[in-house]
Amino acid sequence: MYKVEISGVNTVELPLLNAEEKLELMRKIKKGDEDARREFIYGNLRLVLSIIQRFNGRGETADDLFQVGCIGLIKAIDNFDLEQNVQFSTYAVPMILGELKRYLRDNNSIRVSRSIRDLAYKVIQYKESYVKENDKEPTVEEIAKELGVKKEDVAFSLDAIQDPISLQEPIYNDGSENLYIIDQVSDDKNSDELWAEKLTIIQAIKKLNDKEKMIITKRFFDGRTQSEIADEIGISQAQVSRLEKVAISRMKRLYK
């Protein structure tokens, strides 16, 4: 993601246009000046580079993301209205992000039916136009009524095109340790009966101190989340996570 050359473009040598230069070039672009258009695109490639870094780790090459981001940049240039009192970058960023997200959705390894994907795009387009006109997002009911579909279908289509995330995705850091999505997921499939079948584990639990034993019991016997346990016993979720990991590590040693 940080290589010097992307799609044949030397990123180190990219120019940086100031506000006055952008305004002057945009005026020329609106009059049909192709040279000004090329200069403006080249002068905003750093913006594309800064945005594609947000998608690092998605399994896509920097070259592909850069090219897709450039498409979003060009669309932003073609649709930018000089009459609006807004900086070009403010207008371009969501356009570039939208293009990248559409590309990632269309190339998602989890296949979504064409009809659901098409409905999701219609929902997104309507939401964008609605927000632009009303400065607020429409409700699911309003979207469903406008598109002539059930509100459940609207919600389902949007959920279907969301990027999958790993349970090991870090969501918080208290300065010493990460908390992950899996730490906030409750487990209602484990029960006393299932754990009781592993008598050696039960014996290991008995050798934990009272706080560790309580946390392990609530987490894996009662299916509670770390947040719920933290609220109940008056400590932070990070502390619950740390105690849980220490207890599990001690149980593993005892189990061996």
Side-chain angles (χ1 to χ4, degrees), residues 192-203:
D192 291 81
E193 290 77 12
L194 292 175
W195 276 67
E197 292 175 3
K198 305 290 185 179
L199 294 179
T200 52
I201 296 178
I202 296 297
Q203 292 302 316

Side-chain angles (χ1 to χ4, degrees), residues 122 126 129-130 138-149:
K122 290 178 182 178
Y126 177 70
S129 62
Y130 187 95
T139 64
V140 174
E141 289 79 5
E142 290 171 331
I143 297 172
K145 183 178 179 181
E146 174 67 22
L147 299 180
V149 297

Side-chain angles (χ1 to χ4, degrees), residues 185-215:
V185 177
S186 61
D187 184 358
D188 56 6
K189 293 183 179 180
N190 284 308
S191 64
D192 291 81
E193 290 77 12
L194 292 175
W195 276 67
E197 292 175 3
K198 305 290 185 179
L199 294 179
T200 52
I201 296 178
I202 296 297
Q203 292 302 316
I205 291 175
K206 291 180 179 179
K207 295 183 179 181
L208 300 175
N209 63 43
D210 290 342
K211 183 170 287 188
E212 291 170 345
K213 190 184 301 181
M214 176 188 62
I215 289 173

Side-chain angles (χ1 to χ4, degrees), residues 6-31:
I6 298 180
S7 296
V9 176
N10 188 337
T11 59
V12 174
E13 297 178 354
L14 288 175
L16 187 62
L17 301 174
N18 59 41
E20 291 76 13
E21 290 172 330
K22 288 181 181 179
L23 180 59
E24 183 60 30
L25 286 171
M26 184 57 74
R27 285 171 177 163
K28 292 180 179 179
I29 291 170
K30 295 304 178 182
K31 294 178 181 179

Side-chain angles (χ1 to χ4, degrees), residues 105-106 112-126 147 149 153 157-158 160-161:
R105 285 196 296 264
D106 288 344
V112 178
S113 74
R114 185 56 183 259
S115 60
I116 294 174
R117 192 164 63 242
D118 287 346
L119 175 59
Y121 291 159
K122 290 178 182 178
V123 171
I124 292 170
Q125 289 173 357
Y126 177 70
L147 299 180
V149 297
D153 292 338
S157 68
L158 291 176
I161 62 172

Side-chain angles (χ1 to χ4, degrees), residues 29-193:
I29 291 170
K30 295 304 178 182
K31 294 178 181 179
D33 189 327
E34 288 298 322
D35 289 335
R37 190 168 184 268
R38 282 191 290 271
E39 185 178 348
F40 193 92
I41 292 171
Y42 198 65
N44 281 276
L45 292 182
R46 287 182 181 272
L47 179 62
V48 176
L49 288 172
S50 68
I51 293 172
I52 67 172
Q53 290 179 13
R54 305 183 191 184
F55 299 89
N56 189 17
R58 297 294 187 93
E60 300 291 336
T61 67
D63 287 341
D64 288 343
L65 292 176
F66 182 70
Q67 291 176 45
V68 174
C70 286
I71 293 173
L73 172 64
I74 291 169
K75 287 183 177 180
I77 292 171
D78 292 343
N79 291 282
F80 185 66
D81 186 355
L82 279 169
E83 299 299 320
Q84 299 296 323
N85 187 26
V86 62
Q87 291 185 0
F88 174 76
S89 59
T90 302
Y91 178 80
V93 167
M95 293 282 284
I96 297 170
L97 281 171
E99 200 67 31
L100 287 162
K101 289 178 180 179
R102 277 189 289 274
Y103 169 78
L104 291 171
R105 285 196 296 264
D106 288 344
N107 290 275
N108 199 318
S109 58
I110 299 177
R111 310 314 298 174
V112 178
S113 74
R114 185 56 183 259
S115 60
I116 294 174
R117 192 164 63 242
D118 287 346
L119 175 59
Y121 291 159
K122 290 178 182 178
V123 171
I124 292 170
Q125 289 173 357
Y126 177 70
K127 286 178 67 176
E128 289 175 350
S129 62
Y130 187 95
V131 170
K132 188 174 181 180
E133 293 177 5
N134 301 279
D135 291 325
K136 64 177 183 178
E137 288 203 356
T139 64
V140 174
E141 289 79 5
E142 290 171 331
I143 297 172
K145 183 178 179 181
E146 174 67 22
L147 299 180
V149 297
K150 297 178 181 179
K151 62 182 182 180
E152 291 82 3
D153 292 338
V154 172
F156 178 75
S157 68
L158 291 176
D159 285 341
I161 62 172
Q162 295 299 314
D163 294 329
I165 57 175
S166 169
L167 289 174
Q168 302 302 325
E169 183 85 12
I171 56 173
Y172 174 75
N173 185 288
D174 68 346
S176 61
E177 187 175 6
N178 284 331
L179 290 179
Y180 301 90
I181 289 177
I182 194 171
D183 293 331
Q184 292 193 321
V185 177
S186 61
D187 184 358
D188 56 6
K189 293 183 179 180
N190 284 308
S191 64
D192 291 81
E193 290 77 12

